[in-house]
Amino acid sequence: ACDPFLSAVEAGLSQHGFWQSPAVIGVSGGADSTALLLALVALAPGAEAVAGLVVAHAEHDLRPEAAVDRDVVAALAGRLGVGF
């Protein structure tokens, strides 16, 4: 990857054997967790690896927009072909 962020994520994934098993990714809907999800999908070694990802989103109803965040994250996971 030529992007510094993607290069750093890719190095960490390789170092820790990330793609050897399914993974649950916590996504709040904020910029950092959304960027991580997009990076993982971009760096996945194939469709099977993407299918092995599952997005987890915890809604605590502490903010009025919590349901909107959940819906946005669910829609993004669906567009990316990732479980939710």
Side-chain angles (χ1 to χ4, degrees):
C2 59
D3 178 275
F5 173 72
L6 287 178
S7 294
V9 172
E10 187 173 40
L13 296 174
S14 296
Q15 181 180 0
H16 297 288
F18 181 82
W19 297 113
Q20 295 176 7
S21 60
V24 176
I25 311 302
V27 181
S28 66
D32 55 349
S33 60
T34 300
L36 177 60
L37 175 60
L38 293 172
L40 291 173
V41 170
L43 295 169
E48 188 174 305
V50 173
L53 298 175
V54 176
V55 168
H57 177 82
E59 182 183 333
H60 301 287
D61 288 324
L62 299 176
R63 297 176 299 113
E65 62 275 10
V68 173
D69 291 344
R70 178 203 59 228
D71 293 345
V72 167
V73 172
L76 177 61
R79 284 193 309 273
L80 296 172
V82 175
F84 178 78

